[in-house]
C-alpha cells in the first residue's frame, strides 16, 4: 500500500526510461518523401479519371444515337448540348504554334483568292486636258525630284492626270458593257444637274494623305459641291445595277500627282513617307481651271492608249468642245505645219526643174549678180471647222547662160 503523494519507484523508472529512450527509438519523419508520395497519388488519380471518362468522339457518337439526334440546333442548345454543326466548324480550325486559333491553309487560300478577285479593276474619272495644269504639275514633280531623285517611280505621269469619281470591280465583259450602258443612261440626269452650264473646276494648293499620297486640291466653291453631287449620282446608278459592292467611303475630290504605292521598293530603301518640305514652295499655288468635258470609264489593267491616257471603254460628253474638235491654238498649229510643208515641196520642185534645165551645182556661180531667182508663193488658207484649204501658186524665172 502506498500513501497519497508517494510514487512507485518502478513506474517512475519505466516512465523515465521511456522518456529517455524515445528520441533514439522513433526517427523524425521525412517531409520531402511525403510530398512526393502525395504527388504520385494525385497523378494516379488523374490517370484513372481520364481512363474512366469517355472521349469527345465517343460522347458525340452516343449522343447521335439518342432519339433527339436529328433535332434542330435550338433543341440541342435548350438541352445543354453543343450542336453538331458547331463541333464540325471547330474541327475545321487548328491551333497555331502560339496557341491561338487560325484558319486552315485551305480557308486562307480561298480568302486570298476571293480578295484578289474583288480588287477594283475599273474606275470612272474626269481627265485633265488643260495644259496649264499639267505643266504646273510637272514643275512641282521636277522640283521634288531635284531634292529626292528616288521618288521618280512614285510620280503620276502627266498624260494620266485625272479625278477619280468611283472605282469598281467588273468581273467580265458583260459587266463592262453594263457599266458603259449606265454611263450613257445617266446623261440626262447629269445635264439636269449642270443646268445647261459648263462645270469648271479650280485647282489650288497641295495636300497629302498620311504622307503617302500627294495631291492637288480643289478650291472651295459651288463647283466643288456640284462635282460631289455628280459623283454621288454616278455611284447610286452603279449601285442599283450591282456594280458596286458596298463601297461606302466618302468622296473627296483630288488630283493625285505622286503616290508611294506605285513604287513598293521605296519602303525597303527607307522611304516610307513623302516629306512635305519637298513641295512646301507650292503649297498655296493656283494651278489652273479645268472645264469638265467628259466622264470616262477606264481600265486599270489594260494597256494605255497612244496618248498615254488609260484605256477608255466608254466616254460621256458633258460640255465644251469634243475630243475630236480642235481648238483655235490647234488649228493655228495645223495651218502653220501645212504652210511649211507646202514651202518645202515648192523648193524641192524648183531644184528638180533647175537640174532638168541644165542647171547644176555650178549654175549659181556663173549667173551674174544682177540676175536673181524670183519665187512668189501665194497661199490662201481658209479654215471652216476642221477643213483647211490652201491655194499655192509658184512661178519661177531662170536666166541661164551657156
Amino acid at each position: 500500500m502506498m500513501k497519497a503523494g508517494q510514487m512507485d519507484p518502478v513506474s517512475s523508472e519505466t516512465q523515465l526510461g521511456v522518456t529517455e529512450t524515445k528520441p533514439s527509438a522513433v526517427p523524425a519523419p521525412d517531409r520531402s518523401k511525403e510530398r512526393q508520395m502525395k504527388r504520385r497519388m494525385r497523378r494516379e488519380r488523374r490517370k484513372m479519371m481520364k481512363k474512366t471518362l469517355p472521349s469527345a468522339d465517343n460522347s458525340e457518337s452516343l449522343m447521335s444515337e439518342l432519339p433527339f439526334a436529328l433535332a434542330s440546333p435550338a433543341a440541342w442548345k435548350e438541352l445543354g448540348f453543343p450542336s453538331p454543326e458547331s463541333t464540325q466548324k471547330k474541327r475545321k480550325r487548328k491551333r497555331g504554334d502560339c496557341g491561338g486559333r487560325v484558319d486552315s491553309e485551305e480557308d486562307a487560300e480561298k480568302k486570298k483568292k476571293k480578295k484578289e478577285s474583288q480588287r477594283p479593276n475599273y474606275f470612272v474619272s474626269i481627265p485633265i486636258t488643260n495644259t496649264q495644269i499639267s505643266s504646273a504639275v510637272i514643275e512641282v514633280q521636277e522640283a521634288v525630284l531635284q531634292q529626292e531623285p528616288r521618288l521618280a517611280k512614285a510620280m503620276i505621269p502627266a498624260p494620266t492626270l485625272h479625278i477619280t469619281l468611283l472605282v469598281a470591280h467588273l468581273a467580265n465583259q458583260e459587266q463592262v458593257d453594263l457599266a458603259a450602258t449606265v454611263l450613257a443612261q445617266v446623261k440626262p440626269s447629269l445635264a439636269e444637274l449642270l443646268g445647261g452650264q459648263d462645270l469648271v473646276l479650280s485647282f489650288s494648293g497641295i495636300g497629302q494623305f498620311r504622307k503617302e499620297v500627294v495631291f492637288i486640291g480643289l478650291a472651295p466653291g459651288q463647283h466643288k459641291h456640284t462635282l460631289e453631287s455628280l459623283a454621288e449620282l454616278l455611284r447610286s446608278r452603279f449601285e442599283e445595277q450591282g456594280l458596286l459592292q458596298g463601297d461606302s467611303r466618302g468622296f473627296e475630290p483630288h488630283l493625285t500627282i505622286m503616290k508611294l504605292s506605285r513604287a513598293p521598293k521605296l519602303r525597303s530603301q527607307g522611304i516610307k513617307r513623302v516629306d512635305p518640305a519637298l513641295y512646301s514652295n507650292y503649297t498655296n499655288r493656283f494651278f489652273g481651271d479645268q472645264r469638265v468635258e467628259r466622264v470616262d470609264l477606264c481600265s486599270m489593267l489594260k494597256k494605255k492608249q497612244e496618248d498615254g491616257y488609260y484605256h477608255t471603254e466608254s466616254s460621256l460628253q458633258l460640255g465644251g468642245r469634243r475630243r475630236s474638235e480642235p481648238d483655235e491654238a490647234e488649228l493655228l498649229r495645223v495651218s502653220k505645219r501645212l504652210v511649211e510643208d507646202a514651202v518645202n515641196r515648192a523648193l524641192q520642185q524648183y531644184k528638180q526643174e533647175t537640174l532638168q534645165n541644165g542647171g547644176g551645182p555650178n549654175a549659181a556661180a556663173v549667173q551674174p549678180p544682177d540676175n536673181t531667182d524670183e519665187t512668189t508663193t501665194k497661199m490662201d488658207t481658209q479654215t471652216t471647222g476642221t477643213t483647211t484649204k490652201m491655194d499655192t501658186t509658184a512661178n519661177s524665172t531662170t536666166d541661164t547662160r551657156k
Side-chain angles (χ1 to χ4, degrees):
M1 296 292 294
M2 293 180 62
K3 297 181 181 179
Q6 294 182 355
M7 296 182 61
D8 187 0
V10 178
S11 62
S12 62
E13 288 178 1
T14 54
Q15 290 178 358
L16 291 173
V18 172
T19 55
E20 288 177 357
T21 58
K22 186 176 181 181
S24 60
V26 181
D30 192 350
R31 299 285 184 181
S32 60
K33 291 182 179 180
E34 292 181 1
R35 292 175 182 173
Q36 291 178 0
M37 291 295 293
K38 290 180 179 180
R39 290 175 183 174
R40 290 178 184 175
M41 293 177 67
R42 290 175 184 172
R43 291 173 186 173
E44 293 295 333
R45 289 176 184 174
R46 289 175 183 173
K47 289 181 181 179
M48 294 296 294
M49 292 177 66
K50 288 182 180 180
K51 290 181 180 180
T52 54
L53 289 176
S55 62
D57 297 335
N58 294 334
S59 62
E60 290 179 5
S61 61
L62 293 173
M63 291 172 64
S64 62
E65 296 176 0
L66 295 176
F68 51 85
L70 301 176
S72 63
W76 283 76
K77 189 174 181 180
E78 291 178 359
L79 294 172
F81 297 106
S83 62
E85 296 179 358
S86 63
T87 55
Q88 291 177 0
K89 290 180 180 179
K90 290 181 180 179
R91 286 181 179 179
K92 289 183 180 180
R93 296 186 175 184
K94 65 178 182 179
R95 289 191 175 273
D97 296 337
C98 299
R101 291 188 178 274
V102 295
D103 293 336
S104 63
E105 294 180 359
E106 185 178 355
D107 294 340
E109 189 69 21
K110 289 181 180 179
K111 287 184 179 180
K112 184 178 180 181
K113 290 182 180 180
K114 185 178 180 181
K115 185 176 181 181
E116 291 179 354
S117 63
Q118 294 180 352
R119 184 175 298 174
N121 55 358
Y122 282 85
F123 64 98
V124 178
S125 65
I126 296 174
I128 301 300
T129 59
N130 187 356
T131 56
Q132 177 187 355
I133 299 176
S134 58
S135 299
V137 169
I138 294 174
E139 181 181 349
V140 175
Q141 292 176 343
E142 291 178 350
V144 172
L145 291 178
Q146 288 179 359
Q147 305 173 67
E148 184 52 82
R150 292 180 295 178
L151 291 173
K153 293 185 177 181
M155 299 298 172
I156 304 297
T160 63
L161 292 174
H162 65 278
I163 301 176
T164 303
L165 300 177
L166 62 88
V167 295
H169 174 78
L170 305 180
N172 47 47
Q173 188 60 37
E174 294 181 0
Q175 291 189 353
V176 174
D177 296 338
L178 178 59
T181 303
V182 173
L183 190 62
Q185 292 176 350
V186 80
K187 184 174 182 178
S189 301
L190 292 179
E192 183 179 356
L193 175 65
L194 298 177
Q197 298 181 356
D198 291 338
L199 177 58
V200 181
L201 306 176
S202 297
F203 291 93
S204 177
I206 297 181
Q208 48 83 22
F209 295 134
R210 300 183 302 276
K211 295 184 180 180
E212 297 178 1
V213 178
V214 181
F215 63 88
I216 298 174
L218 281 179
Q222 182 60 36
H223 62 98
K224 186 175 182 179
H225 298 293
T226 303
L227 180 63
E228 292 173 352
S229 300
L230 186 151
E232 182 61 28
L233 178 60
L234 289 171
R235 291 178 61 82
S236 62
R237 295 297 177 86
F238 271 68
E239 286 179 354
E240 289 175 0
Q241 299 298 327
L243 299 176
L244 291 181
Q245 292 80 20
D247 187 6
S248 59
R249 291 178 295 177
F251 174 67
E252 185 173 350
H254 61 279
L255 176 59
T256 304
I257 61 175
M258 65 182 76
K259 184 165 52 175
L260 290 182
S261 60
R262 289 176 53 87
K265 294 183 179 180
L266 291 177
R267 183 173 292 273
S268 61
Q269 299 176 7
I271 301 179
K272 300 179 181 180
R273 300 288 187 273
V274 179
D275 188 0
L278 297 174
Y279 51 85
S280 59
N281 295 334
Y282 303 90
T283 304
N284 299 321
R285 176 173 178 174
F286 177 74
F287 287 85
D289 295 330
Q290 172 64 50
R291 178 180 285 103
V292 178
E293 301 172 0
R294 68 182 193 272
V295 176
D296 297 331
L297 174 63
C298 301
S299 171
M300 297 181 184
L301 305 179
K302 293 184 179 180
K303 185 180 179 180
K304 291 183 173 61
Q305 301 173 163
E306 294 182 358
D307 58 358
Y309 192 63
Y310 293 95
H311 176 83
T312 303
E313 297 286 350
S314 177
S315 295
L316 174 62
Q317 299 293 334
L318 291 184
R321 66 181 180 88
R322 292 181 176 269
R323 194 175 186 179
S324 60
E325 296 178 355
D327 56 6
E328 295 180 0
E330 187 175 355
L331 287 174
L332 182 60
R333 288 193 297 270
V334 173
S335 301
K336 185 178 179 180
R337 187 172 65 251
L338 291 174
V339 171
E340 292 175 353
D341 294 341
V343 172
N344 291 331
R345 286 196 300 269
L347 290 175
Q348 290 177 0
Q349 184 178 0
Y350 166 71
K351 290 179 181 179
Q352 291 177 357
E353 291 177 354
T354 301
L355 292 174
Q356 291 175 359
N357 293 333
N362 298 325
V366 298
Q367 289 181 355
D370 295 335
N371 293 338
T372 58
D373 295 340
E374 296 179 357
T375 303
T376 306
T377 304
K378 297 181 181 179
M379 298 182 179
D380 184 12
T381 304
Q382 298 178 352
T383 304
T384 303
T386 58
T387 306
T388 303
K389 297 181 179 179
M390 301 182 62
D391 184 10
T392 306
T393 305
N395 296 327
S396 303
T397 304
T398 305
D399 185 7
T400 304
R401 294 183 182 183
K402 298 182 180 179

